[in-house]
């Protein structure tokens, strides 16, 4: 089994800023949270315009419509749904694995036209490796799986992001400068992930299922690495990291990160850089 490329390795196979990512075998997206105040549908759509994939896995928390507060839905959200519908109509396979924020879609009669709904699925890559794919909240401690905790978390996150926006406007913070509210959000996400225990639980589940690795979301922490004989891949999210996991036609996995292009420049994904220690550059 080939090792994960180090951050100091070359950029072979990386996706350029303005280059269209054609011919992916599979694309894994997680935690779009469409309907939440903090969702970023314009960035999701901009990313999708630069990507073609035979299969798209929507790895949970795609919607955030059951948090008890106001649903924030506009034309950009509709455009994301239209893009996915067009892809399904053109023959792409769309597999949707609901998470804790869209758990209402886990009921047996839930339907989204053109999508396959699953609780979990085993994905067979082009190189024969088998990956368990699921959102990941199934490995949370029991108290975090209570619906009340999901709603509470959504409300607190919305409040902190409003505070973050106010702080940036009133104190003229640079876009990449962390605000006090942002630091609280990051610490809360780290706490909920229980250090590395969330990751270890998913790895253990993959071993128990007899698969090569696990692909998940939920923690909002994009990662692609080995745990001895098991591959752990987390898609990240589309609130903060703007990342996705991609499989090429050979079966190789890599993490890619979307960055909004300069004004009037064409859009597209770019390789995850590993900044901050969260992102691996790829896997052969």
């Amino acid at each position: 089994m080939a090792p994960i490329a180090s951050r100091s390795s070359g950029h072979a196979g990386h996706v350029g800023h303005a280059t269209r990512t054609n011919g992916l075998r599979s694309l894994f997206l997680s935690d779009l949270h469409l309907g939440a105040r903090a969702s970023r549908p314009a960035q999701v759509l901009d990313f999708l315009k630069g990507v073609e994939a035979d299969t798209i896995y929507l790895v949970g928390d795609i919607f955030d419509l059951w948090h008890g507060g106001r649903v924030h839905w506009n034309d950009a959200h509709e455009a994301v749904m239209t893009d996915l519908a067009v892809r399904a109509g053109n023959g792409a396979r769309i597999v949707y694995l609901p998470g804790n924020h869209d758990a209402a879609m886990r009921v047996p009669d839930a339907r989204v036209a053109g999508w396959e709904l699953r609780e979990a699925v085993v994905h067979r890559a082009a190189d024969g490796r088998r990956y368990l794919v699921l959102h990941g909240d199934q490995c949370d401690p029991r108290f975090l799986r209570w619906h009340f905790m999901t709603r509470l978390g959504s409300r607190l996150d919305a409040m902190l992001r409003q505070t973050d926006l106010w702080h940036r406007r009133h104190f003229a913070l640079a876009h990449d400068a962390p605000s006090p509210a942002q630091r609280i959000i990051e610490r809360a996400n780290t706490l909920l992930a229980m250090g590395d225990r969330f990751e270890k639980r998913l790895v253990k589940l993959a071993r128990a299922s007899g698969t090569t690795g696990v692909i998940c979301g939920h923690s909002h922490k994009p990662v692609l690495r080995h745990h001895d004989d098991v591959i752990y891949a987390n898609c990240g999210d589309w609130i903060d990291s703007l990342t996705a996991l991609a499989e090429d036609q050979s079966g190789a996995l890599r993490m890619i990160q979307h960055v909004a292009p300069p004004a009037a420049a064409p859009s597209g994904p770019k390789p995850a850089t590993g900044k901050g220690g969260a992102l691996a550059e790829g896997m052969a």
Side-chain angles (χ1 to χ4, degrees), residues 43-245:
Q43 283 83 349
V44 175
L45 186 63
D46 192 42
F47 173 78
L48 288 174
K49 286 178 179 178
V51 175
E52 294 293 340
D54 300 332
T55 300
I56 298 178
Y57 289 92
L58 302 173
V59 193
D61 285 1
I62 302 306
F63 305 110
D64 205 325
L65 306 180
W66 296 275
H67 47 70
R70 177 187 170 193
V71 174
H72 298 268
W73 196 271
N74 56 34
D75 290 345
H77 294 80
E78 287 294 336
V80 172
M81 298 300 293
T82 298
D83 181 276
L84 293 170
V86 169
R87 290 168 187 267
N90 289 337
R93 183 186 178 206
I94 310 293
V95 183
Y96 172 35
L97 305 106
N100 53 313
H101 283 256
D102 46 12
M105 300 301 292
R106 285 173 169 167
V107 298
D109 59 347
R111 296 287 184 275
V112 178
W115 296 10
E116 300 175 29
L117 267 68
R118 300 284 188 271
E119 173 80 15
V121 68
V122 174
H123 169 71
R124 183 179 292 275
D127 59 8
R129 294 175 178 177
R130 297 166 66 249
Y131 297 91
L132 177 65
V133 186
L134 73 171
H135 181 59
D137 63 299
Q138 297 90 337
C139 289
D140 278 348
R142 186 177 302 236
F143 78 94
L144 289 178
R145 284 180 265 156
W146 297 342
H147 181 63
F148 164 77
M149 294 299 292
T150 299
R151 292 184 63 178
L152 178 62
S154 292
R155 293 288 187 90
L156 290 175
D157 184 81
M159 180 184 70
L160 286 168
R161 291 186 187 277
Q162 281 184 280
T163 303
D164 173 67
L165 184 61
W166 178 89
H167 204 97
R168 292 183 183 281
R169 285 175 176 173
H170 285 74
F171 294 93
L173 282 180
H175 175 72
D176 57 352
S179 71
Q182 186 178 352
R183 291 191 182 98
I184 293 173
I185 291 170
E186 291 172 353
R187 289 172 183 172
N189 285 339
T190 300
L191 178 63
L192 291 175
M194 304 171 292
D196 62 353
R197 280 181 287 173
F198 172 78
E199 188 170 328
K200 288 180 177 179
R201 287 184 177 191
L202 268 296
V203 168
K204 184 177 180 180
L205 184 61
R207 284 199 178 98
S209 69
T211 53
T212 307
V214 60
I215 297 172
C216 64
H218 189 47
S219 72
H220 291 211
K221 291 184 176 298
V223 174
L224 176 57
R225 58 177 164 233
H226 283 115
H227 284 257
D228 296 325
D229 58 330
V230 174
I231 298 166
Y232 173 80
N234 192 304
C235 307
D237 72 295
W238 284 82
I239 303 297
D240 298 306
S241 65
L242 306 187
T243 55
L245 184 72

